[in-house]
Amino acid sequence: MSGRVLVGVKRVIDYAVKIRVKPDNSGVVTDGVKHSMNPFCEIAVEEAVKLKEKKLIKEVVAVSCGPQQAQETIRTALAMGADRGIHVEVTGKDYDTLGPLQVSKILAALAKKEEAQLVILGKQAIDDDCNQTGQMTAALLDWPQGTFASEVALENDKVKVVREIDGGLETIKISTPAVLTADLRLNTPRYATLPNIMKAKKKKIANVKPADLGVELTSRMLGKYRGVTGKRKERATQQSRVEEWTILPNIHRTIL
Amino acid sequence: MLPASRYSSKAHRCIRALTAVQGEHGAPQLYTTVRRACSSGTAPRITTHYTIHPRDKDPRWEGMEMERFADEADVVIVGGGPAGLSAAIRLKQLANEHQKELRVCLVEKAPQIGAHTLSGACLEPSALTELFPDWKERGAPLNTPVTEDVFNIFTKSHRIPVPILPGLPMQNHGNYLVRLGNFVRWLGEQAEELGVELYPGYAAAEVLFHEDGSVKGVATNDVGIAKDGSPKDVFERGMELHAKVTLFGEGCHGHLAKQLYKQFNLRENCEPQTYAIGLKELWMIDEKKWKPGRTEHSVGWPLNRHTYGGSFLYHLNEGEPLVSLGFVVGLDYTNPYLSPFKEFQRWKHHPFVAATLEGGQRIAYGARALNEGGFQSIPKLTFPGGLLIGCSPGFMNVPKIKGTHTAMKSGMLAAEAIFPKVTAEEPNSETTGLHVPEYAESLKNSWVWKELHSVRNIRPSFHNPLGLYGGMVYTGIFYWILRGKEPWTLKHRGMDAHQLKPAKECTPIEYPKPDGKISFDLLSSVALSGTNHEGDQPPHLTLKDDSVPVARNLAVYDGPEQRFCPAGVYEYVPVETGDGMRLQINAQNCVHCKTCDIKDPSQNINWVVPEGGGGPAYNGM
């Protein structure tokens, strides 16, 4: 086995920021807004780095799809312990319509190209809450999947995954290569400390275009409309009393 | 698998924030005038930070690896604001000019450059033109030249317009209305292009010293300390950045500067700094009311003539009907019942202001302390191994309410003064950390000094029986006519923290309830600042003595911190068992304004830097 793990990381708007819908309802204001790595992707990176520290795998490759700024997210993954990065450049209209279907095609192509033993992703992104990319990637590759993982144990060429499901916990044993998606309790991600950020500047990030991977990014959606329903929740917690405005984006999609 | 509740990764915080948690207590006892008796038992432990409870005596830290990774740079700059970035840029410009190698590292506690920047702002482009004569071609976001200048004295329902004659400090012809956060972000991009190493998300937590007492550099914050002060599994020490000289540009009332003042006795020949708090909102208004380039300032209502303060409202011209508005209250106010936040909210209801805001939507909120001491409060600026730049020592021109241009100039002068010293073949210094008194000299010979000298008496002139009106008369005679050339220098009243009168000598203020359309409550405002911190860390608002808040602040002053904090960090809540109140510190809400450290009448609160990356997430504020 190659001993290489591919980890997907997504750059999302920071969870503590109040999002604002654009006046023309075409999307959410992102310019200048604080972004960070999707929390579940952080957990995925941490798991991959832990496997490398246990010497069960040899190399961790961080992948992100998006515009130039996606490189910052890859750098954070490199600072956490990934060995190298791959930035799949997607900009403009393509980036607006980039969704799980396109990303999973990209990841599947990369997994084959890099001969990955494992693909570890976060279970879902906090901006779209789709929870689809891991599953689609596994299906495209025809690989087994261990989703909602709260425990991962590598045993030779098999993986034991404890999954968090509605009924409790389910333990499965799947063969590699496989796709895993990380759930909350899998681990506690380490901080990307300054010395590691400095070291990460020397690690390589390769630049790739989706066309190079043979992936077509045309969206299957006819149109997207975002509306806002403002629901006010008053919440008193022990630590901080912050009133949360929950803005639920109402996304109507028509899929061919 | 250890229970998830023991840890607090971002994902855990995120999930917790999305799940409703029932609170313990009911409505906060925020504005009560009934003072409960102090609780009879010992004060509950509030402060767990290692600056108050050192770790070398703490058994939980026995055997922990405390070595720090260290790196060397030529110059280290603390703070990525206008001053720090201008200094960094100027250093690299000089290095390129003279074809010298220079490693310049800048650390900034905000998660991205500009995220902790908050200002009106009306920028005088003088310093920028000196730094980048081609700033327009480079795309600096100065998109709104001032077209209209309006100054009013507000009464409850009317206004008295005051003509802005040329020569008065409030005249803004030639200046630009900017979103300072965006401007700082642009400066950051210019700095990176020149090769400055920018490290946002890392806070300078400690000053390091050589054996000879000179400054060696700074250390960034440790991470992974739990709320009770014990180490977590993800604990990691901060990093040491050593430099030949360190520039401190932390902005108004920096926490490292506070230590340096003591360490090097920098304030022995100047007056204590005086401050104000500025609260600001961004509004999208009705397009019909939008007048890009219009600058409005007011004084008077709702403040009485003895409380210094006023407002600003700027119509920006960035393609959408955005206005930036805010309210400033001098922190030398005497009534402990005054709430700057509530004054701001009720000011918005003045007919002149409400007319602009009606039908609009608020999209951002934030607050920050600013300097008002001016010329009289400038400390000694240099010490072995370091120097102070920007609003940290304080170069704000108070009547103009502009400090960005002087902050930038101070950064540039600092760079010009230290460049020959850090690139010299032989270090010509008595101490290992370079001492650069030439910086202070060049500042004294620059327009910054002349400008601050000419307006030095305007703010202190406010302290007269006629208050605001006396101050305006003084300004008219001595500044407008005589250009600040009078031979005397008026003194400030002393430290802001000592100006509060005991609560029993003052009248509580009846503030109107927010209407949810023009005025708002505190907590929904704080949510708009995007502020957040890792919850499981020691509160960074440390108390030197945990018993003082209830014993003194609450007993004598009715807990003014629950009113002057613009983020609802401080709450006096009933103790769980028995009688009495305790102070609850909601550190996660903090917007890093520093007002508590300034105004605490007991000077018991010591604001230190939390884990880097925390704090507000301002966007173009």
Side-chain angles (χ1 to χ4, degrees):
Chain A
M1 278 266 96
S2 72
R4 190 171 295 133
V5 172
L6 213 66
V7 181
V9 293
K10 185 178 183 186
R11 181 174 179 264
V12 297
I13 293 181
D14 188 86
Y15 81 88
V17 168
K18 289 273 152 281
I19 57 164
R20 206 163 45 98
V21 179
K22 287 194 194 145
D24 59 1
N25 280 337
S26 63
V28 156
V29 175
T30 54
D31 193 38
V33 174
K34 178 182 174 189
H35 283 67
S36 41
M37 191 192 289
N38 182 37
F40 295 104
C41 299
E42 282 185 356
I43 299 178
V45 173
E46 175 66 22
E47 196 58 26
V49 174
K50 272 198 163 72
L51 288 175
K52 191 176 86 155
E53 284 172 346
K54 287 191 207 143
K55 302 220 195 309
L56 294 168
I57 56 145
K58 291 203 207 77
E59 197 188 21
V60 177
V61 182
V63 182
S64 192
C65 308
Q68 182 68 15
Q69 294 97 318
Q71 295 207 4
E72 292 164 17
T73 314
I74 301 177
R75 288 256 174 253
T76 310
L78 293 173
M80 286 172 73
D83 297 292
R84 58 184 168 90
I86 300 177
H87 172 214
V88 181
E89 224 180 300
V90 181
T91 52
K93 275 236 89 203
D94 282 339
Y95 184 61
D96 288 339
T97 55
L98 189 72
L101 183 57
Q102 292 80 13
V103 174
S104 52
K105 285 183 189 170
I106 293 171
L107 290 176
L110 278 171
K112 280 207 212 94
K113 182 158 175 265
E114 297 285 336
E115 294 173 343
Q117 185 179 346
L118 283 175
V119 174
I120 310 185
L121 308 173
K123 74 169 179 184
Q124 66 195 58
I126 60 170
D127 53 4
D128 56 22
D129 276 342
C130 281
N131 197 329
Q132 296 165 1
T133 309
Q135 293 83 338
M136 283 184 181
T137 311
L140 287 168
L141 287 164
D142 199 24
W143 286 5
Q145 57 183 261
T147 53
F148 311 107
S150 69
E151 236 185 271
V152 166
L154 226 58
E155 291 160 15
N156 297 320
D157 57 345
K158 299 242 189 294
V159 189
K160 190 180 88 167
V161 183
V162 177
R163 305 177 61 228
E164 296 197 13
I165 59 171
D166 285 347
L169 296 173
E170 177 193 59
T171 310
I172 60 171
K173 208 177 218 170
I174 54 177
S175 58
T176 56
V179 175
L180 307 174
T181 70
D183 204 329
L184 186 62
R185 276 159 277 272
L186 183 55
N187 59 51
T188 306
R190 65 197 63 193
Y191 287 82
T193 53
L194 186 55
N196 292 326
I197 286 273
M198 288 180 169
K199 286 188 204 139
K201 288 202 169 168
K202 304 195 182 82
K203 296 185 183 173
K204 287 189 86 234
I205 299 182
N207 230 301
V208 171
K209 295 214 172 42
D212 301 341
L213 299 167
V215 172
E216 218 206 284
L217 289 180
T218 36
S219 173
R220 299 290 182 87
M221 287 192 287
L222 283 179
K224 226 179 353 181
Y225 169 79
R226 275 202 170 96
V228 175
T229 65
K231 216 168 179 264
R232 187 175 164 168
K233 264 198 234 165
E234 207 156 286
R235 172 170 324 140
T237 71
Q238 243 179 336
Q239 325 287 60
S240 69
R241 305 183 78 245
V242 177
E243 254 171 42
E244 282 260 318
W245 284 88
T246 326
I247 299 179
L248 307 168
N250 239 325
I251 307 172
H252 300 277
R253 302 185 206 218
T254 315
I255 304 182
L256 271 173
Chain B
M1 195 77 209
L2 291 155
S5 57
R6 241 195 94 187
Y7 299 92
S8 208
S9 71
K10 194 185 278 186
H12 297 158
R13 278 183 285 141
C14 178
I15 301 305
R16 274 215 298 273
L18 294 171
T19 323
V21 174
Q22 278 309 112
E24 260 204 17
H25 42 266
Q29 308 271 344
L30 283 180
Y31 302 106
T32 180
T33 54
V34 174
R35 285 175 279 117
R36 304 263 186 103
C38 312
S39 39
S40 47
T42 47
R45 173 87 102 103
I46 303 174
T47 303
T48 53
H49 201 272
Y50 63 81
T51 50
I52 306 285
H53 300 286
R55 288 175 290 195
D56 49 7
K57 300 189 183 66
D58 190 331
R60 300 170 300 184
W61 287 87
E62 232 183 273
M64 288 298 293
E65 179 56 62
M66 296 303 262
E67 270 279 324
R68 277 189 290 221
F69 187 80
D71 204 359
E72 306 280 330
D74 291 299
V75 181
V76 163
I77 301 177
V78 176
L85 288 168
S86 299
I89 289 170
R90 193 75 194 104
L91 278 169
K92 276 303 204 180
Q93 285 177 339
L94 287 167
N96 292 342
E97 229 181 284
H98 292 93
Q99 284 163 340
K100 292 242 164 93
E101 289 284 323
L102 201 66
R103 186 174 182 206
V104 180
C105 289
L106 188 151
V107 287
E108 160 61 46
K109 61 174 165 56
Q112 51 199 50
I113 301 282
H116 285 185
T117 301
L118 182 140
S119 184
C122 183
L123 180 69
E124 222 182 82
S126 49
L128 176 62
T129 312
E130 284 184 36
L131 188 64
F132 287 120
D134 57 345
W135 56 258
K136 213 181 183 121
E137 287 75 39
R138 284 173 178 263
L142 273 67
N143 303 317
T144 314
V146 174
T147 56
E148 241 189 297
D149 231 333
V150 172
F151 194 94
N152 289 308
I153 303 178
F154 276 5
T155 62
K156 183 140 197 260
S157 39
H158 298 288
R159 61 187 183 101
I160 306 165
V162 173
I164 305 196
L165 306 162
L168 277 177
M170 304 82 191
Q171 208 230 351
N172 278 311
H173 182 71
N175 296 335
Y176 291 84
L177 300 175
V178 293
R179 293 174 71 172
L180 197 62
N182 289 347
F183 177 69
V184 168
R185 192 171 51 171
W186 174 83
L187 277 178
E189 287 161 16
Q190 305 308 304
E192 259 193 322
E193 254 177 62
L194 285 165
V196 176
E197 287 177 52
L198 294 178
Y199 295 113
Y202 296 97
E206 201 186 311
V207 183
L208 304 168
F209 296 94
H210 288 291
E211 281 190 6
D212 62 11
S214 61
V215 170
K216 188 176 176 184
V218 290
T220 59
N221 58 282
D222 294 346
V223 293
I225 305 180
K227 194 160 185 174
D228 63 7
S230 61
K232 295 194 278 197
D233 277 3
V234 285
F235 169 73
E236 258 189 78
R237 279 288 258 167
M239 175 178 167
E240 294 191 8
L241 284 167
H242 300 164
K244 295 179 187 150
V245 65
T246 309
L247 276 62
F248 291 88
E250 298 170 286
C252 176
H253 205 79
H255 79 112
L256 292 181
K258 193 174 170 186
Q259 286 175 36
L260 292 166
Y261 293 147
K262 269 211 224 72
Q263 179 82 15
F264 293 104
N265 221 346
L266 301 171
R267 298 206 77 97
E268 59 185 340
N269 291 323
C270 68
E271 287 196 47
Q273 185 65 263
T274 63
Y275 303 88
I277 178 176
L279 302 105
K280 173 182 166 170
E281 288 174 357
L282 285 177
W283 279 67
M284 284 289 202
I285 56 170
D286 188 345
E287 239 183 281
K288 297 189 224 72
K289 312 194 180 180
W290 181 41
K291 303 188 183 117
R294 183 175 161 95
T295 309
E296 294 174 20
H297 291 107
S298 84
V299 291
W301 188 86
L303 299 175
N304 63 34
R305 67 174 190 269
H306 290 296
T307 306
Y308 189 82
S311 75
F312 64 88
L313 197 152
Y314 302 146
H315 292 246
L316 293 159
N317 190 4
E318 308 209 340
E320 39 183 14
L322 195 64
V323 298
S324 157
L325 64 144
F327 202 74
V328 172
V329 179
L331 285 177
D332 58 348
Y333 68 82
T334 53
N335 186 344
Y337 293 108
L338 193 143
S339 160
F341 174 79
K342 294 197 162 192
E343 298 289 351
F344 175 36
Q345 297 302 319
R346 81 167 155 170
W347 163 79
K348 284 189 279 176
H349 282 288
H350 188 279
F352 193 62
V353 185
T356 308
L357 299 180
E358 236 129 48
Q361 200 208 0
R362 183 176 74 151
I363 62 168
Y365 164 82
R368 183 73 170 91
L370 44 131
N371 308 295
E372 299 225 313
F375 188 78
Q376 293 88 323
S377 304
I378 300 177
K380 194 153 172 285
L381 296 168
T382 65
F383 42 90
L387 39 86
L388 301 167
I389 55 175
C391 277
S392 181
F395 301 116
M396 200 175 103
N397 182 328
V398 178
K400 268 197 202 174
I401 43 169
K402 292 181 178 60
T404 311
H405 63 309
T406 48
M408 288 177 72
K409 183 64 175 170
S410 72
M412 290 154 66
L413 290 172
E416 286 159 10
I418 71 179
F419 181 74
K421 295 211 148 177
V422 293
T423 50
E425 292 296 327
E426 289 297 317
N428 182 8
S429 176
E430 286 172 8
T431 50
T432 320
L434 299 176
H435 191 190
V436 192
E438 290 83 345
Y439 160 59
E441 282 312 307
S442 68
L443 199 68
K444 289 200 176 92
N445 294 327
S446 72
W447 52 258
V448 173
W449 210 257
K450 283 195 206 54
E451 192 178 315
L452 292 178
H453 186 263
S454 68
V455 297
R456 72 196 180 288
N457 286 325
I458 297 185
R459 176 68 174 91
S461 74
F462 187 79
H463 301 309
N464 66 74
L466 292 175
L468 166 69
Y469 306 109
M472 292 180 78
V473 168
Y474 186 96
T475 307
I477 301 173
F478 290 101
Y479 183 77
W480 190 57
I481 300 177
L482 295 178
R483 286 281 177 268
K485 291 201 173 67
E486 67 269 33
W488 56 83
T489 300
L490 299 175
K491 279 183 141 53
H492 298 304
R493 254 201 271 174
M495 276 180 74
D496 289 335
H498 299 154
Q499 304 305 319
L500 277 183
K501 294 207 184 93
K504 62 181 194 286
E505 291 173 27
C506 301
T507 337
I509 306 179
E510 276 282 326
Y511 288 105
K513 278 204 148 22
D515 71 349
K517 294 204 212 68
I518 295 198
S519 53
F520 300 90
D521 65 302
L522 184 61
L523 294 179
S524 66
S525 308
V526 176
L528 270 185
S529 68
T531 193
N532 195 29
H533 296 84
E534 160 65 57
D536 193 13
Q537 65 171 309
H540 62 280
L541 304 120
T542 65
L543 304 172
K544 294 190 206 139
D545 181 341
D546 280 351
S547 62
V548 165
V550 173
R552 187 156 186 269
N553 288 19
L554 186 60
V556 179
Y557 302 99
D558 198 48
E561 56 268 61
Q562 57 189 342
R563 297 188 188 92
F564 61 55
C565 175
V569 169
Y570 299 97
E571 274 185 299
Y572 282 97
V573 296
V575 290
E576 278 80 16
T577 49
D579 231 352
M581 306 284 268
R582 64 176 180 87
L583 178 66
Q584 175 167 285
I585 297 184
N586 305 316
Q588 277 179 286
N589 289 15
C590 182
V591 291
H592 298 205
C593 76
K594 315 294 176 65
T595 303
C596 56
D597 196 309
I598 295 166
K599 189 61 174 168
D600 176 12
S602 313
Q603 287 291 278
N604 187 38
I605 300 173
N606 195 42
W607 190 97
V608 298
V609 81
E611 273 177 19
Y618 296 143
N619 182 8
M621 279 291 261

